[in-house]
């Protein structure tokens, strides 16, 4: 295909508005309806349309100017540019045929999707009395690619254990469908899962939209995520803190025993390696911080013991703070 700037007849310094005007002008002159006796009209019109698909979109135009894509919208490769790896010719070239039902696209794809036709459709609306490509269904019905159906959004709430280990959930979508959603291991709160083709059907016969499932991870009653690690607060008795002992600590794999050394102060944190959330290299850790809990109500013996300690064995844990 020729240089799109040459096809549209605009300089490389042309503004987007000038590109649009040039396309509008040539589209009127080259439209097959206005050149029914010219067998090359459809080819010229298709070439004009392909050029506008490149220059009519700011991102594609910049990519072309930088040499990242060619005049057909294909990424530039080293070696034999445009040649199909399997020897099948030029994969990205877009062909068109003109018949009783309008322009039909055929073969390959320009590598840019159907985005460029959206701007073209808007121009045709203005050119044909606000009706766009539907001005005459016999002529424009297949002018642009079939539009996708609308996406649908839904939410699902899973447990922290499901987020860590994976699983599946049945989800009801706004379009009435019920789908099975596979939860991959290591999913985090707020991430989305896309289900291709599970959205609303296309009114024009194109592909259906997608379903976007936002996954919410319900708070765990004891475990708090911190990246790939987990934290838990473990209440211990006063005698466990003084004398030591073994306590049960909840994890995603079930409760485990943690040895509390004698003389453990409140706030001390113990690391349980590999008991956190999954990562690419393995799993995070679980950090268990202990909290000393006194018995409910007043205990005269404990009160007396503490008064004796205060009198005979005083100490100041805050001495370094002053």
């Amino acid at each position: 295909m020729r240089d799109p700037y040459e096809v549209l007849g605009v300089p490389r310094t042309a503004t987007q508005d000038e590109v649009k005007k040039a396309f509008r002008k040539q589209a009127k002159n080259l439209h097959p309806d206005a050149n029914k006796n010219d067998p090359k009209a459809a080819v010229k019109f298709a070439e004009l349309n392909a050029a506008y698909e490149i220059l009519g979109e700011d991102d594609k135009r910049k990519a072309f100017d930088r040499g990242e894509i060619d005049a057909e919208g294909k990424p530039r490769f080293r070696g034999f540019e445009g040649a199909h790896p399997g020897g099948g010719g030029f994969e990205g070239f877009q062909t068109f045929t003109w018949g009783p039902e309008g322009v039909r696209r055929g073969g390959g794809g320009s590598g840019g999707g159907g985005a460029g036709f959206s701007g073209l459709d808007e121009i045709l609306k203005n050119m044909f009395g606000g009706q766009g490509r539907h001005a005459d269904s016999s002529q424009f019905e297949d002018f642009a690619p079939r539009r996708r159906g609308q996406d649908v959004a839904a939410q699902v709430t899973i447990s922290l254990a499901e987020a860590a280990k994976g699983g599946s959930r049945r989800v009801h979508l706004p379009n009435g469908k019920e789908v099975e959603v596979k939860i991959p291991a290591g999913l985090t709160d707020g991430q989305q899962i896309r289900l291709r083709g599970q959205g609303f059907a296309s009114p024009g016969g194109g592909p259906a939209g997608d379903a976007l499932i936002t996954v919410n991870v319900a708070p765990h009653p004891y475990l708090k995520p911190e990246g790939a690690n987990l934290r838990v607060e473990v209440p211990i008795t006063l005698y466990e803190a003084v004398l030591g002992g073994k306590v049960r600590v909840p994890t995603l794999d079930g409760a485990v025993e943690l040895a509390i050394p004698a003389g453990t102060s409140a706030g001390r944190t113990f690391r349980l390696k590999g008991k956190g959330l999954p990562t690419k290299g393995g799993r995070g850790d679980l950090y268990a911080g202990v909290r000393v809990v006194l018995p409910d109500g007043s205990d005269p013996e404990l009160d007396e013991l503490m008064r004796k300690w205060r009198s005979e064995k005083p100490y100041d844990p805050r001495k370094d703070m002053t």
Side-chain angles (χ1 to χ4, degrees):
M1 177 179 158
R2 291 186 296 156
D3 187 304
Y5 287 100
E6 180 183 343
V7 174
L8 287 172
V10 296
R12 291 184 176 271
T13 56
T15 65
Q16 289 301 103
D17 187 55
E18 289 172 337
V19 170
K20 184 176 181 180
K21 288 180 179 178
F23 171 77
R24 183 195 299 269
K25 180 179 179 180
Q26 291 204 48
K28 289 182 178 179
N29 295 331
L30 296 178
H31 198 285
D33 279 353
N35 299 273
K36 294 182 179 179
N37 296 324
D38 184 358
K40 297 182 179 180
V43 176
K44 294 178 181 178
F45 191 72
E47 184 182 45
L48 178 69
N49 175 65
Y52 185 69
E53 186 178 7
I54 298 293
L55 302 186
E57 292 187 35
D58 189 54
D59 290 342
K60 286 186 180 180
R61 181 179 178 180
K62 290 179 179 178
F64 176 77
D65 290 342
R66 291 192 298 263
E68 296 172 0
I69 61 174
D70 60 17
E72 299 168 8
K74 298 183 304 179
R76 290 187 180 275
F77 299 98
R78 293 181 178 178
F80 297 99
E81 180 180 345
H84 191 284
F90 296 94
E91 180 184 21
F93 189 78
Q94 183 67 63
T95 60
F96 295 81
T97 57
W98 181 267
E101 298 180 357
V103 174
R104 292 184 178 275
R105 302 200 306 161
S110 61
F117 289 89
S118 178
L120 174 60
D121 195 32
E122 187 65 29
I123 291 177
L124 291 175
K125 287 182 181 180
N126 297 326
M127 290 173 58
F128 297 94
Q131 299 181 62
R133 63 188 178 92
H134 299 292
D136 181 349
S137 60
S138 66
Q139 297 295 324
F140 301 103
E141 182 177 359
D142 295 319
F143 186 81
R146 299 294 188 183
R147 295 186 181 277
R148 289 178 64 253
Q150 184 179 355
D151 293 339
V152 297
Q155 296 190 21
V156 62
T157 300
I158 62 175
S159 67
L160 185 61
E162 288 175 307
K165 300 176 182 179
S168 63
R169 283 294 187 91
R170 299 290 295 178
V171 178
H172 293 275
L173 302 178
N175 58 1
K177 292 183 179 180
E178 183 175 303
V179 295
E180 186 84 10
V181 180
K182 293 184 178 179
I183 310 296
L187 204 65
T188 59
D189 185 61
Q191 284 191 299
Q192 283 190 333
I193 296 174
R194 180 183 292 271
L195 302 180
R196 299 286 183 184
Q198 296 298 332
F200 286 104
S202 168
D210 300 334
L212 302 177
I213 314 297
T214 300
V215 180
N216 301 313
V217 180
H220 192 277
Y222 308 113
L223 306 177
K224 181 180 179 181
E226 290 184 355
N229 299 321
L230 294 172
R231 285 195 177 273
V232 61
E233 187 180 69
V234 183
I236 62 174
T237 63
L238 180 60
Y239 51 82
E240 286 171 332
V242 174
L243 303 176
K246 292 184 178 181
V247 298
R248 302 278 287 176
V249 177
T251 75
L252 292 175
D253 303 314
V256 298
E257 282 193 342
L258 173 65
I260 304 296
T264 294
S265 298
R268 181 173 176 178
T269 300
F270 298 89
R271 176 189 177 194
L272 283 71
K273 189 175 181 179
K275 292 298 183 180
L277 299 172
T279 66
K280 291 182 179 180
R283 290 184 66 171
D285 302 324
L286 172 63
Y287 292 89
V290 298
R291 174 170 57 93
V292 177
V293 178
L294 298 178
D296 294 334
S298 178
D299 187 320
E301 292 184 13
L302 180 60
D303 294 345
E304 181 61 29
L305 176 61
M306 291 300 102
R307 279 192 288 268
K308 183 178 180 180
W309 267 34
R310 183 176 61 186
S311 175
E312 298 178 2
K313 300 178 181 180
Y315 67 101
D316 185 3
R318 298 175 296 277
K319 61 182 179 180
D320 295 334
M321 298 179 64
T322 57

